[in-house]
Each structure stands twice: as structure tokens, then as C-alpha cells.
């Protein structure tokens, strides 16, 4: 079954590429993509390609941390395979330790001699505290990523927050906490810049009102010493479309005579999960969820409709922030996004909130990253939830077993957008039309994003149609293609995914694409994510 899927997938991709060669000279295109090199949108902050690792289920223990004495290849206790893959995709930033866990976590439990650290009953699971701040920093340094800490603003105080920053950033010879860090292995300060003040304060982070959270935020961030590191604070923003949270927080924090300067806030954290696949029958948190593996074509499309809400969520938050911060100092930090299905497909029962990841999730991830790129000027950071053994994971592992999911290939393909200049792109394609619970429904047919880095144009495109390919004429205004290479992630089975037994059922394939007089014709395979790497003269 798995092998058949693999062969079918390869055939589908091959057909698409062969067809693209013919198409360069023959039939009329049904779609068009215009890339406007002379219309820059903004620089794509590398940290938009960040990740989220919570002390939850098997994300850290089993996924990242295997322990120094493990037979599983590791560097200082950290699974080597994860490090290698994250280096490959140039993972720029990692958020830790939560999530909801963050607001129950005492950072002091996770420092000092590991054997002497306290064991806690834990928020999601028993917490041995073997993996704490020094180990997280080791992980970040091994992969070359910026750390982004989410601090406890529900059950710890601003003084504890100050002290965590002091432990991380103070010189070793100027403070006891700095000395403790040195004893934990790093004389050099960690220089942590990004500090989230709580997590989901409207929910697990305290069930606060926006005005109450505003008070906490002010207390945590006023005159907080950074020890030479300019601190970048991230405030808790809304879940999905809860704009009331944004409006009320802005009013309480920046409004009136006693408002604080928006320049002191780096980011506005926004969370949006794609979980409600019930097509309006219910919005119940459990009942409305779909299944990660058992789905029909309507469920396939529903993920892209639900995930597409991200664009409106971003724009509307940006507009409200702009009323109080017209210069837009505050950037969007979408630090939790991805699909969330019902339990049952996790690779091991101990993996709380974990699920299998199919081609469908890869398209949703690509769609989301394209939205971020199209709004590059608004985006400070983002984090896919979560890195390993969790919701929209890039990796699945259990003990010595480790595989990459289709999402990994999306991050691998999209890495060339990091730090590049996003340029405007316009997509015109026949919409996807289908029966949604016996009612005609439709949505966009092709979408994506483009960015320019020196002489390389990266164009990433999602074709969400489950069965139809799209042939597009691609016009580059202000340039011409001298060479084009396509990397494609697809499969003829929309449920395709990797397993420990069949780790390569879904993977990306790269091939050259012929060009004709500087222009490009390309056939986008059904159910695909494509990256075109275009060399400009
Ligand atoms: O990612 C799982 C959980 O989802 C996080 O802990 C929380 O922030 C969100 O609600």
C-alpha cells in the first residue's frame, strides 16, 4: 500500500514535469502569475520561519532531549537527527517552554545540577526538569537559532521575570545569577532578546481581561534590565479573530494620557489553529475537529478554507495596532499556527496532542508561509506549532525511530525566502469548485508568494485542487528568467504521509524547467506545493 502510494506519487510528479516541458511550446495556459519585481513588499524576517517547542507530551522528552547517556545519537543529550535537519532548513528561531505550560513554569526548576533539580507533577505531564534553560540554549546554539522565551506571567512575578533575564544575560562576574549560568556551563551571557510576556492570557494564561493583562504587561516590561541586550517584548494577542482583545488591550496600554510608547513593544502574538472542520455543524472544540488521516475531499478543502482565515486575522490586527502605533513599530508574531485534529494518530500513546502529518498539512503550512511572505512588512516572527511529536510537526520520533513529515520539505523548500525581499505577485487561476455539504462552494485556485535575493527569484505556489493540474504562464515584470529549477512536493494520494516503516512515501523532487525567451510556462501538479527558483540575468 505504502509502496504503491510512493510509485503513484512519483508518476504524478513526473507527468507534471513532462507536461511542463511540452507546455512551454504548446497549449494555452489556464492560469497566470505576475511577479512584480519593482514592487517590493518588505524584507522577509528570517524568524518568520521559526518553530515552537513546548514542554508537552513528547516534544522535548523523546523528541529533542534523549539524554547524554542515550544510545540514540546525541550531542550533549540532544537528538542529533533533529539538529542536523534543523540546520539543513536554517531554523532561525525557537520558542520555548510553552504554550500553556509557560504560565505554570518556574524557570528556577530548570537550572543547576540536573540530578538536584526538582521533579514536578507538571502541567501536561510529569516534569523532570532535566531540560531547562541551559539545555534549551545548547539546543539553540547547536542549530544556530535565536531563542524566544515565553515567560510565566500568570503564576510568577515581574521580579522572577527580571531574574530569568539576569540569569540569561548578566555578566558572570557581576551577579550571582550570572555566576550560576557560568556554573551551568556558559560564562558567556546567552544574550536572549525575545521575551514573550505570558501565553494566551485570555485563556490558560490567567483568563484575564485585556485591561488586566495590559496592567501585567506594563509591570513586566517597565524598566526591565537587559544587561546590554535590547530586549524585545512580545505581548499576548488574540486567538484567531478575537479583535476585541486587540482593541481593548491597545486602548488600555497605549490609549489616553497614560499610554505607554508602542516603541517599547516588539511584537503582538497571534495564535490561529486550523481545527474546526465541521463546516458549521458545530463549533465545539472536540466535536468540530477532523481526523488527521481519515478524510474525504471536502475535508481536504476545508483545511485550506479554515487556514486561509489567517490573512484576514493578520490584516485586521495590523489595522487596529495601526490606530495606536501609526508607524507600525509593533510587528505581528504568529507564534502558534498549524492544523489540530482529534487524537488517535499519534505514533505512541505517550505523545500528548500529537498527530500524523499528511500532504494536506504540508499544503496548509505552505499556504500559511505564503500569507506571511505576502505581508512581509507586518511580520516580525512566526512559529509553527509544534516542531516534533505534536500538532503540525516537521518530525516524528519515538526512542531510536525518527522521520521527517511532509511539513519538513515545505520548510526546506521555503528557506530561500528567509531574509529575501518579498515582491508583489498576482495569481489568476480557475477557482476550486466543489460540493460542500451539497452546496456549491469555491475558493482560490492557485496562490503563493515571491521574493528576490540578489539574482534569485523564489516563487512558491500551492495548487489546492485535489485532482486538477494548473498550467500557468508566469510573467516576471522587470526581469527575465535565464534558468529555472522546480522543487515539487506532491503525491497522487492526498492522504500520503511518512511512517517509521515507510519514511520516504512523501518527499520533494527537484528538476530543471525549460524556459523560452525568458518567460516561463509551468504545470502545477494537483495537490502540490512547488518552488520555482528562477535565476535572473
Ligand atoms: O500548542 C498546544 C497549545 O495550544 C499551547 O500550549 C497553547 O498555547 C495553545 O492553546
Amino acid at each position: 500500500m505504502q509502496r504503491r502510494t510512493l510509485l503513484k506519487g512519483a508518476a504524478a510528479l513526473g507527468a507534471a514535469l513532462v507536461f511542463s516541458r511540452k507546455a512551454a511550446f504548446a497549449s494555452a495556459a489556464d492560469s497566470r502569475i505576475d511577479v512584480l519585481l519593482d514592487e517590493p513588499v518588505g524584507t522577509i524576517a528570517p524568524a518568520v520561519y521559526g518553530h515552537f517547542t513546548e514542554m508537552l507530551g513528547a516534544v522535548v522528552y523523546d523528541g529533542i532531549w534523549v539524554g547524554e547517556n542515550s544510545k540514540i545519537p546525541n550531542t550533549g543529550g540532544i537528538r542529533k537527527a533533529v539538529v542536523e535537519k534543523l540546520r539543513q532548513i536554517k531554523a532561525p528561531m525557537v520558542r520555548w517552554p510553552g504554550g500553556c505550560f509557560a504560565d505554570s513554569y518556574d524557570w528556577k526548576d530548570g537550572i543547576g545540577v540536573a540530578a538536584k533539580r526538582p521533579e514536578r507533577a507538571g502541567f501536561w505531564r510529569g516534569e523532570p526538569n532535566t531540560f531547562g534553560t541551559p539545555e534549551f540554549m545548547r539546543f539553540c546554539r547547536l542549530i544556530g537559532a535565536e531563542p524566544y522565551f515565553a515567560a510565566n506571567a500568570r503564576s510568577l512575578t515581574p521580579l522572577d521575570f527580571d531574574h530569568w533575564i539576569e540569569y540569561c544575560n548578566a555578566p558572570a562576574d557581576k551577579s550571582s545569577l550570572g555566576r550560576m549560568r557560568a556554573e551551568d556551563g556558559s560564562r558567556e551571557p546567552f544574550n536572549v532578546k525575545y521575551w514573550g510576556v505570558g501565553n494566551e492570557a485570555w485563556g490558560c494564561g490567567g483568563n484575564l481581561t485585556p485591561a488586566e493583562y495590559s496592567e501585567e504587561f506594563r509591570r513586566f516590561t517597565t524598566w526591565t534590565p537587559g544587561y546590554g541586550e535590547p530586549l524585545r517584548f512580545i505581548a499576548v494577542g488574540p486567538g484567531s479573530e478575537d479583535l476585541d482583545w486587540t482593541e481593548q488591550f491597545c486602548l488600555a496600554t497605549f490609549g489616553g494620557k497614560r499610554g505607554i510608547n508602542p516603541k517599547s513593544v516588539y511584537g503582538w502574538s497571534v495564535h490561529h489553529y486550523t481545527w474546526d472542520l465541521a463546516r458549521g455543524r458545530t463549533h465545539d472544540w472536540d466535536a468540530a475537529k477532523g481526523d488527521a488521516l481519515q478524510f474525504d475531499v471536502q475535508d481536504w478543502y476545508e483545511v485550506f478554507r479554515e487556514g486561509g482565515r489567517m490573512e484576514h486575522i493578520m490584516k485586521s490586527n495590523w489595522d487596529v495596532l495601526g490606530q495606536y502605533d501609526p508607524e507600525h513599530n509593533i510587528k505581528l508574531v504568529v507564534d502558534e499556527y498549524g492544523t489540530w485534529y482529534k487524537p488517535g494518530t499519534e505514533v505512541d500513546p505517550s505523545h500528548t496532542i500529537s498527530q500524523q502529518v499528511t500532504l494536506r498539512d504540508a499544503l496548509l503550512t505552505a499556504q500559511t508561509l505564503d500569507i506571511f511572505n505576502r505581508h512581509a512588512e507586518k511580520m516580525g516572527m512566526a512559529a509553527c506549532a509544534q516542531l516534533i511529536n505534536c500538532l503540525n510537526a516537521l518530525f516524528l520520533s519515538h526512542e531510536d525511530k525518527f522521520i521527517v513529515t511532509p511539513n519538513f520539505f515545505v520548510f526546506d523548500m521555503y528557506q530561500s525566502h528567509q531574509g529575501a525581499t518579498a515582491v508583489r505577485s498576482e495569481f489568476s487561476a480557475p477557482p476550486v469548485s466543489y460540493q460542500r455539504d451539497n452546496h456549491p462552494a469555491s475558493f482560490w485556485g492557485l496562490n503563493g508568494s515571491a521574493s528576490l535575493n540578489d539574482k534569485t527569484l523564489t516563487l512558491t505556489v500551492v495548487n489546492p485542487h485535489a485532482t486538477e493540474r494548473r498550467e500557468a504562464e508566469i510573467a516576471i515584470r522587470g526581469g527575465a528568467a535565464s534558468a529555472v529549477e522546480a522543487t515539487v512536493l506532491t503525491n497522487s494520494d492526498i492522504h500520503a504521509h511518512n511512517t517509521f516503516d515507510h519514511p520516504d512515501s512523501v518527499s520533494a523532487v527537484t528538476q530543471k524547467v525549460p524556459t523560452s525567451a525568458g518567460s516561463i510556462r509551468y504545470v502545477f501538479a494537483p495537490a502540490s506545493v512547488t518552488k520555482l527558483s528562477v535565476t535572473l540575468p
Side-chain angles (χ1 to χ4, degrees), residues 130-167:
T130 333
F131 189 94
T133 300
E135 291 74 23
F136 175 66
M137 286 307 306
R138 189 183 304 161
F139 176 51
C140 288
R141 283 175 168 175
L142 283 172
I143 58 182
E146 281 282 346
Y148 165 21
F149 284 77
N152 181 343
R154 181 187 69 85
S155 49
L156 289 185
T157 66
L159 185 62
D160 295 295
F161 182 53
D162 286 6
H163 284 166
W164 199 4
I165 297 170
E166 186 173 338
Y167 172 85

Side-chain angles (χ1 to χ4, degrees), residues 180-239:
M180 281 164 85
R181 183 196 61 243
E183 281 160 20
D184 287 343
S186 185
R187 216 188 137 65
E188 283 308 302
F190 292 145
N191 298 329
V192 179
K193 278 202 257 309
Y194 299 106
W195 293 90
V197 180
N199 171 76
E200 297 189 352
W202 37 264
C204 60
N207 263 326
L208 304 180
T209 66
E212 285 165 347
Y213 175 66
S214 166
E215 251 177 59
E216 294 303 322
F217 183 81
R218 287 167 180 248
R219 288 189 329 128
F220 272 70
T221 58
T222 303
W223 282 77
T224 312
Y227 307 94
E229 191 62 45
L231 301 179
R232 294 181 159 186
F233 298 117
I234 292 102
V236 170

Side-chain angles (χ1 to χ4, degrees), residues 206-531:
N207 263 326
L208 304 180
T209 66
E212 285 165 347
Y213 175 66
S214 166
E215 251 177 59
E216 294 303 322
F217 183 81
R218 287 167 180 248
R219 288 189 329 128
F220 272 70
T221 58
T222 303
W223 282 77
T224 312
Y227 307 94
E229 191 62 45
L231 301 179
R232 294 181 159 186
F233 298 117
I234 292 102
V236 170
S240 299
E241 278 97 353
D242 182 6
L243 262 199
D244 177 63
W245 177 270
T246 308
E247 282 159 1
Q248 300 300 326
F249 174 87
C250 284
L251 184 65
T253 312
F254 310 118
K257 201 167 143 196
R258 306 203 184 278
I260 62 170
N261 190 336
K263 276 193 178 147
S264 60
V265 184
Y266 172 74
W268 184 237
S269 152
V270 173
H271 292 180
H272 175 58
Y273 284 101
T274 300
W275 63 274
D276 185 347
L277 303 188
R279 303 193 285 276
R281 286 189 300 274
T282 170
H283 298 294
D284 179 82
W285 176 246
D286 295 314
K289 291 211 182 78
D291 192 279
L293 292 176
Q294 308 294 323
F295 56 87
D296 62 16
V297 83
Q298 292 187 76
D299 302 321
W300 163 270
Y301 290 137
E302 200 63 17
V303 162
F304 311 127
R305 295 172 72 107
E306 278 296 297
R309 284 165 53 195
M310 180 68 86
E311 192 148 19
H312 170 71
I313 292 168
M314 287 170 54
K315 281 189 197 163
S316 50
N317 273 280
W318 188 251
D319 288 348
V320 175
L321 291 169
Q323 290 167 25
Y324 296 86
D325 175 26
E327 291 166 11
H328 282 299
N329 295 286
I330 307 170
K331 302 295 178 207
L332 300 181
V333 173
V334 185
D335 48 15
E336 290 189 30
Y337 69 88
T339 46
W340 192 329
Y341 303 111
K342 6 175 115 116
T345 63
E346 55 276 13
V347 297
D348 187 79
S350 62
H351 292 198
T352 317
I353 315 189
S354 184
Q355 60 199 26
Q356 250 299 353
V357 178
T358 66
L359 182 65
R360 176 173 64 161
D361 305 302
L363 264 74
L364 179 277
T365 302
Q367 171 191 354
T368 309
L369 293 172
D370 283 326
I371 294 173
F372 296 161
N373 292 341
R374 292 201 295 270
H375 296 275
E377 83 288 10
K378 304 181 179 65
M379 292 295 296
M381 305 201 283
C384 183
Q386 302 192 11
L387 183 70
I388 179 166
N389 296 335
C390 201
L391 297 168
N392 198 43
L394 280 75
F395 312 114
L396 296 175
S397 72
H398 185 47
E399 297 166 351
D400 60 345
K401 298 195 262 316
F402 174 86
I403 53 170
V404 304
T405 74
N407 273 344
F408 167 78
F409 294 102
V410 174
F411 277 89
D412 200 20
M413 289 158 74
Y414 278 54
Q415 61 170 283
S416 43
H417 282 304
Q418 286 188 32
T421 304
V423 293
R424 192 156 80 83
S425 50
E426 292 295 332
F427 292 76
S428 159
V432 174
S433 300
Y434 66 108
Q435 287 294 312
R436 186 175 183 252
D437 292 331
N438 301 319
H439 296 288
S442 66
F443 69 100
W444 54 272
L446 276 186
N447 216 340
S449 65
S451 72
L452 186 63
N453 194 346
D454 197 15
K455 298 270 176 225
T456 304
L457 167 70
T458 300
L459 174 64
T460 45
V461 181
V462 173
N463 177 5
H465 204 291
T467 53
E468 290 179 15
R469 58 196 184 187
R470 292 279 171 257
E471 181 178 352
E473 192 175 315
I474 302 169
I476 306 173
R477 194 171 82 191
S482 65
V484 183
E485 203 176 67
T487 305
V488 186
L489 182 71
T490 188
N491 199 286
S492 58
D493 180 0
I494 57 173
H495 309 91
H497 59 280
N498 295 334
T499 63
F500 293 142
D501 290 337
H502 300 279
D504 301 315
S505 297
V506 190
S507 65
V509 176
T510 300
Q511 289 195 3
K512 296 239 169 299
V513 176
T515 56
S516 164
S519 68
I520 313 167
R521 275 280 183 98
Y522 190 77
V523 175
F524 293 96
S528 66
V529 181
T530 302
K531 170 171 92 160

